[in-house]
Amino acid sequence: MLLDVVARDGLVLLGCGKMGTALLTGWLAAGVPATSVWVIEPHPTDWLKATGVHLNQGMPPAPAVALLAVKPQMMGAALPALQALGNGTTLFISIAAGTSIATFEAALGARTPIVRTMPNTPAMVGRGITGICANSHAGADGLALAHQLMLAVGQVVELDGEHQIDAVTGVSGSGPAYVFHLIEAMAAAGEAEGLSPDIAMKLARATVCGAGELAYQSSEPASQLRINVTSPGGTTAAALAVLMDPDTGFPPLLKRAVKVAADRGRELGK
């Protein structure tokens, strides 16, 4: 088992906010012993204090993994504490948007094994999806270990390279916010048609959650699921004529939204 090396040599988690908590919950459930985890977190929750992990007690001499779960703007201040582990056997895994592998290599040493990941917030309910890529020093083994660790919070896709990570940020990293806004917009549209705010929101929320679950469980592609709901000449077809308009509908709107998110990710990485 890949996680056996973590149990044996230890794992350092730098930052235990929402995403760090989701990951730690998944690892503990997968059988990683709490005594094999060292967490550095200045504002620990009561839950974290009760897990039995080593909390703010330094770190083992050569942990298998150091996972960086601090916000990108705090990364510069956080890295010096881990510099002693650079250029060694410790695999560094980052979940921070906008911090490149080259930045980590400059801070930790050029021979440091590094995996960069882009998870998303549904990880908090075990339904995330994470894109991962690695430098040459991490190799297939490092990528496999990172894959295994990120499976604790959902699905994992291995990218062709770091050049794809900003696109992942634009689609799935930022994507949950697009879906939440869809719920808001659907509820507002329901209100405009005469529903009470409470009922409009209930309908919109349940519809998006239910459709998402149907897409998750179904083997059919999204296009077929859409067709299944659409009677020719019916109400859904009338709405889709607006939403699928090639100039003003969802496709061009989302293409622009994903592009600006990806572009912003590239800017942050400079």
Side-chain angles (χ1 to χ4, degrees):
M1 268 291 287
L2 280 168
L3 293 182
D4 288 348
V5 70
V6 170
R8 187 189 70 213
D9 297 337
L11 179 151
V12 175
L13 177 61
L14 185 67
C16 198
K18 288 177 180 172
M19 192 63 75
T21 296
L23 285 163
L24 180 57
T25 302
W27 299 332
L28 296 175
V32 173
T35 50
S36 297
V37 180
W38 278 255
V39 177
I40 302 168
E41 169 54 59
H43 308 291
T45 60
D46 291 340
W47 174 85
L48 180 57
K49 292 174 187 171
T51 56
V53 301
H54 303 271
L55 182 56
N56 298 324
Q57 296 172 5
M59 58 187 78
V65 174
L67 192 134
L68 309 172
V70 294
K71 291 205 165 16
Q73 55 270 32
M74 293 163 63
M75 194 61 78
L79 282 176
L82 298 168
Q83 273 176 323
L85 302 176
N87 287 336
T89 57
T90 299
L91 175 70
F92 281 80
I93 303 174
S94 167
I95 66 170
T99 307
S100 67
I101 287 173
T103 301
F104 289 116
E105 288 175 339
L108 298 165
R111 299 188 311 280
T112 306
I114 298 162
V115 174
R116 188 174 166 195
T117 79
M118 175 45 62
N120 63 2
T121 54
M124 289 186 271
V125 291
R127 291 283 288 271
I129 188 160
T130 303
I132 64 173
C133 57
N135 67 357
S136 57
H137 296 286
D141 287 349
L143 206 56
L145 180 52
H147 192 129
Q148 189 78 28
L149 286 167
M150 298 313 290
L151 277 177
V153 292
Q155 300 178 55
V156 179
V157 291
E158 294 187 13
L159 307 178
D160 293 340
E162 191 178 21
H163 63 284
Q164 293 183 324
I165 203 105
D166 295 306
V168 172
T169 302
V171 175
S172 59
S174 301
Y178 316 158
V179 178
F180 301 143
H181 186 52
L182 173 64
I183 294 173
E184 290 179 288
M186 283 176 69
E191 282 187 62
E193 288 301 315
L195 294 171
S196 71
D198 182 50
I199 286 180
M201 179 55 77
K202 206 169 263 186
L203 289 169
R205 192 170 183 144
T207 299
V208 171
C209 295
E213 187 63 28
L214 188 55
Y216 182 75
Q217 292 193 23
S218 177
S219 58
E220 293 184 308
S223 57
Q224 186 57 50
L225 292 172
R226 168 179 53 76
I227 290 164
N228 294 350
V229 185
T230 312
S231 306
T235 57
T236 309
L240 286 174
V242 175
L243 293 175
M244 296 177 72
D245 186 286
D247 299 316
T248 59
F250 266 170
L253 185 63
L254 278 172
K255 197 172 180 180
R256 290 205 312 275
V258 169
K259 184 180 189 315
V260 297
D263 287 346
R264 182 65 182 136
R266 292 179 192 105
E267 278 175 35
L268 289 170
K270 284 176 183 165

